Amino acid sequence: MTLGSFALGTDAFVISGVLPSLAKGLDVSLEAAGLLVTVFAGVYALSAPFLAVATGSLDRGRVLMIALSGFVAANVLAAAAPNYTVLMAARIVAALSAAIFMPAASASAAAVARPEERGRALTTVLGGLTLASALGVPIGTIIGNTANWRATFVLVAVLSLIALIGLARVLPPTPATNIPSLADRARAAKLPGIPTILLGSMLTYCSMFALYAYIPWFAEHTAGIGSGAVSWVYLLYGLCGVLSNMAAGWLIDHYPPRRVAILASALMVISLGLLTLYAWADMGDTIVSGVLLYVLIALWGLIGWVINPAQQKRLIITAGPRGPVALSLNGSAVYAGQAVGSLAGGLMLTHGSTWLMVTTVMLQILALLVLCLPAPSGTHVPAAEAAGSAKAHETAESSGSAKTTEAAGPTDAR
């Protein structure tokens, strides 16, 4: 299941690293290629709640088999896609498969593990997504830019196939758990304070993906970093994100999560503002320019991954007994942010790197303003009780940086 989540996480984000070569290979504009990121995230965000309910009565093992089979097929189709339309169709199938897999994997991990090891099992499965960002994306980018962008999809298909074979051999029958209905999700979304938290998460990822989806373009236009070296940018960002995530777990255990989210968001505005000044300065293809870009990307990565774990703990505390359902809604909010952000970033490419960064900063300022809105005067259960009843959820969420909970455990909310 961890290998499956690693493959899914790699597939979701690695396409950003090969966008320039993909656009050239399919003879489409970079903006059109960027829609592959937008559509994947948008389909995931919209379909995840409905697919979770639709597959809720099936054995979790069968659901995982269906999801991984669809994911393998989608990536094989992407690797062989003769044109942009077929590739877009493949990305839609991949998004639907990912939306089915992650909730089922989390529920299965919680079901097969002993109660005292449940938190560790959830953390391990969701750790695949963290590793995908830190290692899968750079490796996939290197392969795609060294060989061909199609090779990246072949890599993901092979990893998914190995995960599928392994699960078919070892996963015991795992009966379905009580999956929240759409009505349950709607009620959770209306709880006091929840809409504001979800909006803050969405806007944060809008800002993040306005730039993340187009890092290769930005690196080339500001520092002259070509496709061969851009994988190091992704590696640096991913590793800094892992460190940021580890720090987030400590911070939200020792300080109010709302305060942590606001401070991190404010620092994000500053780091993105520095990147905006860097783009405006137009230092050209120099060693100093390249080094400065790496430093600013590292700063961005060290700060950015703190916000989502803080938001997730806020949801757990605010929603009380409905915390797991609220966390699953956060997954859709995050993917919706990715979709809107990558679309906004694509629209700014024709205006230059400075305007791309101005858009990114403005989105983060909006996120900060939403995070600063007054919190509910009370919670549905005492904070300590809510935190204790969801300890496993928090552990998994903090380690995965961008995950949520579906029924028995966290799901992908990257």
Side-chain angles (χ1 to χ4, degrees):
M1 286 186 280
T2 301
L3 180 59
S5 67
F6 176 82
L8 267 65
T10 299
D11 186 61
F13 302 113
V14 75
I15 193 170
S16 300
V18 296
L19 271 187
S21 59
L22 186 152
K24 183 178 180 180
L26 294 179
D27 194 25
V28 297
S29 67
L30 188 62
E31 296 88 339
L35 288 177
L36 295 168
V37 179
T38 301
V39 169
F40 183 98
V43 169
Y44 189 111
L46 293 174
S47 67
F50 297 96
L51 291 174
V53 174
T55 60
S57 61
L58 300 177
D59 179 88
R60 297 295 88 188
R62 180 178 299 179
V63 173
L64 291 174
M65 298 298 106
I66 294 173
L68 280 178
S69 297
F71 204 72
V72 171
N75 279 278
V76 170
L77 179 61
N83 53 52
Y84 178 80
T85 302
V86 174
L87 181 56
M88 180 64 78
R91 296 302 292 165
I92 292 174
V93 174
L96 293 171
S97 301
I100 295 173
F101 179 86
M102 287 311 304
S106 297
S108 298
V112 300
R114 291 192 293 268
E116 65 273 16
E117 297 179 346
R118 188 165 295 163
R120 188 188 311 169
L122 293 168
T123 300
T124 301
V125 171
L126 294 168
L129 292 168
T130 305
L131 288 175
S133 179
L135 297 177
V137 172
I139 292 172
T141 301
I142 291 173
I143 292 174
N145 290 323
T146 302
N148 186 283
W149 62 268
R150 298 178 187 274
T152 301
F153 292 112
V154 172
L155 169 67
V156 174
V158 170
L159 293 175
S160 304
L161 182 60
I162 295 173
L164 173 61
I165 294 172
L167 284 174
R169 290 175 59 87
V170 304
L171 185 66
T174 309
T177 54
N178 293 323
I179 302 296
S181 66
L182 293 176
D184 292 332
R185 297 166 196 267
R187 284 191 289 269
K190 296 177 182 179
L191 293 174
I194 298 300
T196 301
I197 298 175
L198 294 177
L199 180 59
S201 294
M202 189 192 78
L203 288 172
T204 296
Y205 275 82
C206 278
S207 172
M208 182 181 297
F209 264 74
L211 175 58
Y212 186 89
Y214 299 101
I215 283 181
W217 181 91
F218 183 80
E220 182 177 1
H221 281 74
T222 56
I225 297 177
S227 58
V230 75
S231 57
W232 294 104
V233 178
Y234 279 107
L235 178 62
L236 177 64
Y237 177 80
L239 292 177
C240 287
V242 172
L243 295 175
S244 174
N245 204 281
M246 294 170 62
W250 184 88
L251 287 170
I252 62 179
D253 281 340
H254 291 79
Y255 299 97
R258 178 172 177 267
R259 186 182 304 173
V260 172
I262 291 174
L263 177 60
S265 185
L267 292 175
M268 275 279 281
V269 171
I270 295 173
S271 68
L272 292 170
L274 292 174
L275 276 166
T276 304
L277 292 175
Y278 169 80
W280 176 76
D282 193 16
M283 301 172 64
D285 184 5
T286 64
I287 294 177
V288 174
S289 178
V291 172
L292 185 56
L293 177 62
Y294 279 107
V295 171
L296 293 176
I297 290 292
L299 180 63
W300 179 43
L302 285 171
I303 297 170
W305 287 34
V306 172
I307 300 174
N308 200 49
Q311 289 288 88
Q312 291 162 344
K313 187 164 185 178
R314 290 182 68 194
L315 287 169
I316 289 173
I317 295 173
T318 304
R322 291 180 178 171
V325 182
L327 284 171
S328 70
L329 295 173
N330 192 60
S332 290
V334 165
Y335 271 95
Q338 293 177 15
V340 175
S342 58
L343 178 60
L347 293 174
M348 289 296 107
L349 295 185
T350 56
H351 300 284
S353 56
T354 302
W355 279 106
L356 172 64
M357 288 311 309
V358 168
T359 301
T360 302
V361 172
M362 294 303 295
L363 288 170
Q364 190 59 48
I365 290 175
L366 286 175
L368 176 59
L369 292 175
V370 171
L371 293 176
C372 289
L373 291 176
S377 58
T379 58
H380 295 81
V381 293
E385 179 184 339
S389 65
K391 183 174 181 59
H393 299 304
E394 294 177 29
T395 302
E397 295 304 326
S398 296
S399 70
S401 167
K403 294 93 182 170
T404 57
T405 299
E406 184 67 52
T411 71
D412 174 45
R414 189 137 183 127

